[in-house]
Amino acid sequence: FIHFYVEPIEIDGMRKGTMLVLRDVTKETEMDRLKSELVSTVSHELRTPLSSIYGFTELMLNRDIDLSKQDRYLKTIHSETERLANLVNDFLDVQRMESGTQSYQKRPLDLRPLLEETTQFYAASTTKHTITFRSFNETGPWIEADEEKMKQLMNNLLNNAVKYSPSGGTIEVVLTADQHHVQFTVRDEGIGIPKTALAKLFEKFYRVDNSDSRKIGGTGLGLAICKEIVEGHDGEILVDSVERKGSLFTVKLPQMVTSHSAVSEMIDMS
Ligand code: ADP
């Protein structure tokens, strides 16, 4: 985006000519867009959990509360508070991305147990979906990575797979590795993504504009954060999808170039 305006050129108070000034305001325009997206997302996404927490605490404060329902109310308050905390953390992550202050604590990391445990956690928390994990490697592969960020990446992808598969189905996580690269995929049989939306999917605040996605709700930040994390680890993230059939997210990362004994030494040292 270019703004232009005309300025007079004056020397000793005498007008000597005019100057055409062109200013590239792409960055400002992008910031304005992000700010207005932020305001509308915040008002929309904060309202639902807040009103639910408010409503359930009101019920709990009522002297005539039915004690048998107390547990259920508390569970809702707890999960809605968690949702708010996640939302705030996502906003903070995006702010760090914008200001270039996101940092990674990279250490040697065995990817397999991390993926397996996260998958098992999701499998245990749903009865609607079948969630499986497969790896073609006996041990490893090892990568040089920030463990918390890798968990966040996995959580975002699995969370979406569950969220956008309202009719259930299988969600499959597969880990493979060759000499230099590690690859893992998250495949679901959910609502899928229109071909025209694929190119914009990893942009901040982007959400597919159809009734299904709108009903499900979200901020459009999860995948932007995933991309930032993957690229912060010199990798790439790809998506392929067929509407009403399902989606496939692929993460490729460089494999750590160290023998296993060297890896254990590095762990001992840290
Ligand atoms: P959010 O889920 O909070 O809207 P994301 O950045 O995680 O934000 O995802 C962006 C958009 O991509 C979603 O709004 C949704 O339209 C689409 N999307 C992401 N993952 C999936 C998936 N597994 N299946 C179908 N659509 C998806």
Side-chain angles (χ1 to χ4, degrees):
F1 294 92
I2 306 285
H3 277 180
F4 69 92
Y5 52 94
V6 178
E7 283 247 307
I9 303 172
E10 289 181 3
I11 299 172
D12 296 334
M14 297 275 289
R15 190 175 177 136
K16 296 286 183 194
T18 46
M19 175 168 58
L20 178 65
V21 183
L22 302 177
R23 204 159 74 88
D24 181 358
V25 290
T26 315
K27 186 105 187 131
E28 283 95 326
T29 312
E30 171 67 4
M31 288 308 282
D32 284 348
R33 184 185 73 82
L34 288 179
K35 270 189 208 141
S36 65
E37 295 269 19
L38 186 74
V39 172
S40 75
T41 309
V42 166
S43 39
H44 191 254
E45 285 297 307
L46 289 187
R47 208 176 260 156
T48 324
L50 274 180
S51 59
S52 152
I53 292 169
Y54 187 78
F56 282 106
T57 42
E58 286 243 300
L59 285 174
M60 301 267 311
L61 287 169
N62 189 332
R63 283 183 200 285
D64 311 323
I65 181 179
D66 176 351
L67 287 179
S68 65
K69 290 188 180 146
Q70 221 172 12
D71 237 28
R72 194 163 55 81
Y73 294 168
L74 274 175
K75 275 190 189 134
T76 310
I77 293 169
H78 185 258
S79 66
E80 292 297 282
T81 312
E82 194 178 9
R83 196 169 142 193
L84 281 179
N86 287 337
L87 208 69
V88 172
N89 285 335
D90 279 359
F91 286 134
L92 288 177
D93 272 341
V94 168
Q95 199 252 328
R96 278 188 215 110
M97 280 156 62
E98 285 303 309
S99 60
T101 53
Q102 182 69 272
S103 65
Y104 297 102
Q105 309 292 319
K106 293 183 189 169
R107 302 177 67 193
L109 176 71
D110 190 354
L111 195 57
R112 184 189 160 129
L114 186 136
L115 295 191
E116 196 161 11
E117 279 158 26
T118 319
T119 310
Q120 276 164 1
F121 172 81
Y122 275 86
S125 62
T126 174
T127 45
K128 207 164 160 200
H129 306 84
T130 309
I131 308 184
T132 63
F133 172 78
R134 240 173 343 128
S135 169
F136 292 97
N137 292 61
E138 287 283 303
T139 57
W142 287 75
I143 56 171
E144 183 107 41
D146 184 321
E147 185 168 358
E148 286 311 311
K149 296 288 171 196
M150 283 295 131
K151 279 188 196 159
Q152 190 183 359
L153 166 68
M154 246 336 252
N155 275 322
N156 284 357
L157 292 176
L158 274 171
N159 208 3
N160 278 351
V162 170
K163 189 164 113 176
Y164 296 106
S165 305
S167 54
T170 297
I171 294 165
E172 192 184 41
V173 178
V174 178
L175 171 66
T176 53
D178 63 23
Q179 226 183 340
H180 302 291
H181 298 96
V182 173
Q183 174 174 307
F184 67 86
T185 53
V186 179
R187 181 195 297 277
D188 67 58
E189 297 174 337
I191 61 173
I193 300 153
K195 285 272 175 269
T196 49
L198 290 178
K200 296 197 207 106
L201 213 66
F202 297 99
E203 286 177 12
K204 288 180 257 329
F205 295 108
Y206 180 79
R207 307 200 67 229
V208 173
D209 188 18
N210 61 23
S211 59
D212 281 342
S213 291
R214 232 174 295 130
K215 246 183 279 156
I216 294 166
T219 58
L221 293 178
L223 287 179
I225 293 171
C226 286
K227 185 171 191 280
E228 175 83 8
I229 294 174
V230 172
E231 290 180 353
H233 287 82
D234 306 314
E236 60 173 336
I237 182 163
L238 308 163
V239 57
D240 199 7
S241 185
V242 178
E243 265 187 290
R244 287 179 293 279
K245 288 266 185 292
S247 307
L248 173 73
F249 286 85
T250 304
V251 173
K252 292 182 187 174
L253 295 165
Q255 176 147 206
M256 216 176 121
V257 277
T258 336
S259 70
H260 289 307
S261 59
V263 168
S264 6
E265 268 169 38
M266 284 173 75
I267 292 170
D268 286 344
M269 274 162 55
S270 55

